[in-house]
Amino acid sequence: MPRHAFFLYLLLTIPLIVGCEGCRRGPSDPGADGEQAAKEAYTVGKLIGYPDDQNSTFGAMKPGHWMSAEQSIRSNQNDSRGELFSQATTVLRDRNMNQVGTLESIKTVRPVVLPRGQMRGFDFRFHVPLPSQNETRRISLSSRMVPRSGGVLDAGGQPFVAMSGSEYFFVVLTSRPARFTRFQTSNWASFKSGTLDMEVQANNYRVVVPKVDGGILPLPETMLDMTSIAAVFWDDVSEDSLTPLQQSALADWVRFGGRLIVNGPAASDAVANTALLELLPLEPTSNIELDGNAAATMLSNHSVKDDLSLAKQRNLLLQESSRVAIDGRLNSGSESIDGTESLVLRKRFGRGAVVQPRFDLTDSWLQDWESYDSFVNSVILNRPARAFVVSDFSQAIPGLGDAPTQPEEIFPEDLQLAFVDTSITADAAANTQFRLASRDAILPRVQVDGETKTPGSVFDQQHRIHPLGGIASWNDDSDLMQVLRETLTSQAGIEIPDSSLVVRSLLIYLVILVPVNYIVFRLMNRLEYAWFAVPLIAVIGAVWAARQARLDIGFARSNTELAFVEAHAGYPRAHLTRLMGVYNSLSSRYKLQFRTADGVAMPLIDEANPDTTVQPEFHVSFEEGPALVDFAVASNRMRFVHSEEMVDMGGEIRLESDGLVTNQTDWELLDVIVARRGPDDEIELAVVGTLGPGEAQPPEFRDARRTSISEDLPMGLQQLMSQLTAATAIPQDSTRLICRIDGRIDGLEITPNASQHSAQTVMLVHLEQPPFPRSEPDANLVSAFTRSIKPDDAAEAPASTTSDNDPSSSSSN
């Protein structure tokens, strides 16, 4: 075959090899045999926020609080590495619910490692932006992954419900979620009244039941992400369902006001096998039969006055047996809640408590009791008693006073559930006992920028409630932060050397340059070398002068810090808040690196004109602790940064039974003052002075009017220490220790390093807390307002023929 004919034949057969769209089946053809559809590079799973409710379509978030979340991703083609960027966005609305803007949080960044074919979840932490005035109903959490190989994987945004200021999470740890549907519809969690045209809902708790699938529960691993949780109900999950970090976070959270409920035998055995054993009021040893007589008495003691189911439930307990309860050894500090016949035990830790019923709170003998919601509200949650009232609050409560007029017929939607003797239907101070003094404490300074701040709740006069963030939200504008900022502003800056240092340095330089230089080389018989030594002496002298002035040549940096430590007696971990002023003569970017996982930091939210377009990022999981990265400070400017962390003090501070105050920490406590407020509201102070590590001193109390705080404390700390000992700042029947620590506490490293440092720390230790209020049942039930009407009589029976307060015509609602 001629060569040109061969090439012609080859050219004609190329289309048969390449194929065409008309005769060749592609992967999109459903009839293709032996071929698979092309896989996408990545598969993105659902983004969930902690704590997650397995029964809810949309999760919830609380504005103003730090929270945790998890994003699941799978790499379908290759092993992949990259970084995950996440951000929360709060949708702002006006009173007419029209969207008026958005508020974005600081970006969170974490590393991502994806083995091919494995769906992996990556947890991260973030701050939920808090509006100043506008209402919000929706929060969006978005994330995107940036692989090292290039490109961007947009995981999209996940909508979340914005919780109200009074609403907090009630987390149920259980493998039997169906038994807790009663909790999710209970009136202590939320209560609706009114019609669809004018419906009012009081939100107290959002009951969430995280999914238990044999793995680790979706809960935060630091107390700083648990400020939106009021109660944790441990039901029947195993002891290995929580990581060591989650258990440590739970222990911290209880001390600062969290309420842990350990439900009966299964929960008690599980908790006893963890590091949380010391939290149990009763260390379980065996299961026994529930004492029916004691249980019946407990029902009688905590029954609402008009409860018609009491007799039936008492008879059921007295006639039937074989109900399981737990027996064991009472731990020190445990107590029986009044009226429970030692069937419900409680142990206090700081502001919080662990409640441990000997029986299962979901048993039918208890849930069929009409006063069950009242029992959970008062005994388990220790909230104030409530009463059903007519929605306009103009009608008297049946049984509580004389009713001037009763409507002919009242329906459940006409009622509202309010705390007794108030018109309050939901209140953050009643729903959670969790408090952080640096965020919530009210100091005796009600005027800020000429405006009066919102006072505390009727249920807590010492802590302020934010109308949108509630209690314990991240707060740059709290009373304590205002004092720290004012003090820091007056103290921060570059330290200018005085004239004596300049004169002294010049004289030393001239002496070395002329006579000393001359004598040295004259003795060496090399006088001509003296001229060569002059430049070297000049450079050495300049470096020495800069060090004496504590300035880097051309790059002066200054870090000034005021810190506040809050601790509870008998616990070695404390909450540390820092406010730092960072100054730089030339623009620079800083990194704030925490040593442990328990840390968060942000620039002040209300900071005006930071003179930089660089936005900082919050990095997690890159190192042992999180870090604030790219905190930019412009030339000749000072920026403030707010950080919080949990720190280990190395030991405890206690008020012993013999009255001694002992310091077992690693810190030397200076200018120690012990303050107490008795039931008569009189304030007594005891000046202890210095309390070194391992030392103990007996406080000698005197009338506060005869005791004063030193006026020459470093960095003007006497103002804050005086406010912390004021009568309005101390709860009744409580004792506290106030002191200072010289310098800064380790745990946070700032780079680049500054040439000038100045730091002081104030410490507050709660030695004794006020006693818990007595548990009181609700004033009435819905059945006090309703009556049974047969369907046959409903149309013809007049509404006024039967009194709505007649117990004989009442029915359970």
Side-chain angles (χ1 to χ4, degrees):
M1 177 183 297
R3 180 175 297 181
H4 65 276
F6 172 78
F7 282 111
L8 181 60
Y9 176 79
L10 182 62
L11 183 62
L12 293 175
T13 57
I14 286 177
L16 300 178
I17 299 173
V18 177
C20 63
E21 292 299 325
C23 58
R24 186 177 180 184
R25 289 179 175 177
S28 61
D29 190 344
D33 296 331
E35 297 183 4
Q36 295 181 352
K39 294 183 178 180
E40 295 183 0
Y42 299 95
T43 300
V44 178
K46 181 182 178 182
L47 192 155
I48 62 173
Y50 294 172
D52 179 53
D53 187 6
Q54 60 180 308
N55 298 318
S56 179
T57 304
F58 297 101
M61 291 182 181
K62 192 164 180 63
H65 293 250
W66 283 86
M67 303 187 72
S68 300
E70 178 181 321
Q71 176 69 70
S72 298
I73 305 175
R74 181 177 64 218
S75 177
N76 299 322
Q77 297 177 351
N78 303 293
D79 293 346
S80 180
R81 291 175 178 268
E83 293 181 345
L84 183 69
F85 293 76
S86 305
Q87 189 173 38
T89 302
T90 299
V91 178
L92 304 179
R93 301 184 183 276
D94 57 20
R95 293 183 177 180
N96 298 322
M97 299 312 298
N98 298 317
Q99 182 171 337
V100 294
T102 59
L103 195 62
E104 294 182 339
S105 71
I106 184 173
K107 283 188 175 69
T108 299
V109 186
R110 66 149 297 154
V112 170
V113 179
L114 291 171
R116 179 173 176 265
Q118 296 183 18
M119 178 68 78
R120 299 194 62 187
F122 300 95
D123 63 301
F124 57 91
R125 306 169 60 197
F126 62 97
H127 176 257
V128 183
L130 178 65
S132 57
Q133 295 178 346
N134 298 94
E135 294 187 4
T136 179
R137 297 290 178 88
R138 184 171 63 85
I139 296 169
S140 176
L141 183 61
S142 59
S143 61
R144 59 186 178 90
M145 190 187 103
V146 180
R148 291 185 181 177
S149 57
V152 176
L153 171 65
D154 189 353
Q158 179 71 29
F160 290 83
V161 176
M163 299 169 67
S164 64
S166 63
E167 188 179 15
Y168 287 80
F169 286 109
F170 185 103
V171 183
V172 181
L173 308 181
T174 183
S175 61
R176 44 179 193 169
R179 302 196 65 157
F180 291 90
T181 54
R182 172 71 179 269
F183 277 21
Q184 294 175 321
T185 59
S186 60
N187 57 39
W188 50 262
S190 63
F191 185 79
K192 293 182 180 180
S193 62
T195 62
L196 293 177
D197 296 334
M198 187 177 294
E199 185 180 73
V200 178
Q201 180 168 352
N203 295 320
N204 295 303
Y205 298 100
R206 187 177 183 90
V207 179
V208 297
V209 184
K211 187 176 182 180
V212 178
D213 55 4
I216 302 301
L217 288 168
L219 293 175
E221 291 191 331
T222 170
M223 183 200 80
L224 299 180
D225 295 353
M226 297 181 66
T227 56
S228 59
I229 300 176
V232 173
F233 191 100
W234 191 312
D235 182 40
D236 65 344
V237 297
S238 62
E239 57 271 17
D240 55 359
S241 297
L242 298 180
T243 66
L245 284 178
Q246 288 175 328
Q247 294 180 31
S248 176
L250 203 60
D252 293 340
W253 171 78
V254 166
R255 264 72 180 197
F256 283 85
R259 179 162 292 251
L260 175 62
I261 304 158
V262 183
N263 185 39
S268 299
D269 291 338
V271 176
N273 292 324
T274 69
L276 303 175
L277 170 62
E278 64 173 353
L279 297 183
L280 287 178
L282 179 75
E283 186 175 343
T285 56
S286 62
N287 290 344
I288 58 175
E289 184 177 313
L290 177 67
D291 186 342
N293 290 313
T297 303
M298 180 186 71
L299 295 187
S300 297
N301 292 337
H302 292 279
S303 184
V304 179
K305 182 171 55 177
D306 49 13
D307 188 346
L308 301 180
S309 68
L310 175 61
K312 176 183 176 181
Q313 298 309 117
R314 281 179 51 88
N315 292 334
L316 186 66
L317 283 167
L318 297 175
Q319 293 173 5
E320 299 180 4
S321 58
S322 301
R323 292 184 175 84
V324 179
I326 56 172
D327 194 14
R329 295 183 295 271
L330 284 175
N331 289 323
S332 176
S334 301
E335 63 177 354
S336 172
I337 297 180
D338 292 341
T340 64
E341 302 298 301
S342 295
L343 293 179
V344 183
L345 305 173
R346 178 175 62 196
K347 187 176 180 181
R348 180 164 200 161
F349 297 92
R351 285 195 60 91
V354 178
V355 178
Q356 185 181 18
R358 293 178 183 261
F359 50 85
D360 187 346
L361 283 168
T362 66
D363 281 348
S364 59
W365 66 268
L366 199 62
Q367 287 203 352
D368 292 342
W369 177 37
E370 286 189 19
S371 299
Y372 179 68
D373 284 352
S374 170
F375 178 81
V376 173
N377 178 77
S378 61
V379 175
I380 305 302
L381 297 177
N382 200 209
R383 297 172 73 229
R386 308 160 305 159
F388 286 96
V389 295
V390 179
S391 295
D392 61 1
F393 302 107
S394 62
Q395 303 298 328
I397 302 171
L400 298 183
D402 297 330
T405 307
Q406 278 292 351
E408 294 183 350
E409 186 172 5
I410 299 176
F411 298 96
E413 57 267 22
D414 298 324
L415 302 177
Q416 204 157 5
L417 185 59
F419 295 109
V420 170
D421 297 329
T422 74
S423 60
I424 301 173
T425 58
D427 189 279
N431 295 338
T432 179
Q433 291 302 312
F434 190 92
R435 307 284 191 274
L436 292 174
S438 62
R439 302 185 185 185
D440 309 313
I442 296 178
L443 299 180
R445 52 192 310 276
V446 296
Q447 291 287 332
V448 177
D449 296 333
E451 297 182 1
T452 303
K453 280 191 169 185
T454 305
S457 162
V458 296
F459 305 110
D460 186 346
Q461 297 294 324
Q462 280 73 43
H463 297 90
R464 205 179 305 280
I465 302 176
H466 191 282
L468 299 178
I471 279 182
S473 63
W474 182 268
N475 196 344
D476 289 336
D477 194 37
S478 67
D479 286 12
L480 193 141
M481 288 294 293
Q482 286 284 339
V483 175
L484 293 182
R485 187 170 182 177
E486 292 170 2
T487 306
L488 195 61
T489 301
S490 64
Q491 297 289 330
I494 287 294
E495 181 179 329
I496 305 300
D498 54 27
S499 59
S500 63
L501 175 63
V502 177
V503 174
R504 186 169 60 251
S505 300
L506 181 60
L507 290 176
I508 294 174
Y509 169 71
L510 292 176
V511 168
I512 295 175
L513 181 67
V514 180
V516 174
N517 184 28
Y518 174 81
I519 293 173
V520 169
F521 289 104
R522 184 74 178 87
L523 294 175
M524 294 174 58
N525 201 24
R526 292 290 188 270
L527 190 58
E528 65 275 12
Y529 288 173
W531 293 104
F532 294 102
V534 169
L536 180 62
I537 294 174
V539 172
I540 295 175
V543 173
W544 176 80
R547 289 186 176 276
Q548 290 297 310
R550 290 191 292 173
L551 295 173
D552 297 331
I553 300 176
F555 297 95
R557 298 188 181 97
S558 171
N559 291 346
T560 310
E561 174 184 314
L562 281 177
F564 178 78
V565 177
E566 183 179 15
H568 291 272
Y571 191 56
R573 285 169 60 82
H575 177 251
L576 170 62
T577 300
R578 307 178 197 255
L579 182 62
M580 293 164 284
V582 181
Y583 173 88
N584 197 57
S585 62
L586 295 180
S587 60
S588 183
R589 299 185 187 182
Y590 288 82
K591 177 181 179 181
L592 285 71
Q593 178 68 57
F594 292 95
R595 294 182 181 176
T596 65
D598 298 294
V600 288
M602 283 200 308
L604 291 188
I605 297 175
D606 64 346
E607 189 175 41
N609 189 22
D611 292 332
T612 178
T613 58
V614 179
Q615 296 301 317
E617 297 174 343
F618 187 66
H619 285 201
V620 295
S621 301
F622 283 92
E623 299 185 47
E624 185 177 5
L628 182 68
V629 179
D630 284 341
F631 175 63
V633 180
S635 301
N636 294 319
R637 291 291 187 272
M638 174 174 289
R639 291 192 70 186
F640 293 98
V641 59
H642 172 190
S643 74
E644 297 183 17
E645 61 196 288
M646 295 298 297
V647 295
D648 193 332
M649 301 187 294
E652 308 167 356
I653 298 176
R654 289 182 176 273
L655 179 61
E656 307 291 351
S657 57
D658 57 1
L660 286 176
V661 177
T662 61
N663 174 24
Q664 298 298 328
T665 71
D666 296 334
W667 304 335
E668 182 180 33
L669 310 182
L670 306 175
D671 301 303
V672 177
I673 293 179
V674 179
R676 68 183 181 188
R677 179 181 179 184
D680 55 359
D681 289 341
E682 290 295 326
I683 302 295
E684 294 181 310
L685 301 180
V687 178
V688 178
T690 301
L691 200 60
E695 292 184 357
Q697 292 287 342
E700 298 180 2
F701 289 98
R702 296 183 179 181
D703 191 300
R705 291 167 292 187
R706 295 164 43 191
T707 307
S708 61
I709 297 175
S710 175
E711 295 294 330
D712 58 352
L713 297 182
M715 298 181 71
L717 295 183
Q718 61 272 10
Q719 178 188 3
L720 177 57
M721 294 183 67
S722 298
Q723 290 173 327
L724 291 172
T725 59
T728 56
I730 305 176
Q732 199 175 52
D733 290 327
S734 67
T735 305
R736 58 174 50 180
L737 179 148
I738 301 97
C739 65
R740 71 176 181 90
I741 300 171
D742 191 31
R744 77 190 304 266
I745 296 174
D746 293 336
L748 178 63
E749 180 181 356
I750 304 178
T751 53
N753 295 325
S755 56
Q756 295 185 14
H757 300 272
S758 180
Q760 287 290 316
T761 303
V762 174
M763 187 174 188
L764 167 64
V765 184
H766 301 281
L767 298 177
E768 291 181 319
Q769 292 280 2
F772 286 124
R774 181 181 175 84
S775 300
E776 298 288 346
D778 290 343
N780 56 8
L781 296 171
V782 175
S783 56
F785 293 87
T786 60
R787 61 187 179 88
S788 299
I789 302 178
K790 296 180 181 180
D792 298 339
D793 302 331
E796 56 188 42
S800 59
T801 56
T802 307
S803 173
D804 292 310
N805 293 319
D806 185 1
S808 62
S809 62
S810 299
S811 63
S812 173
N813 189 37

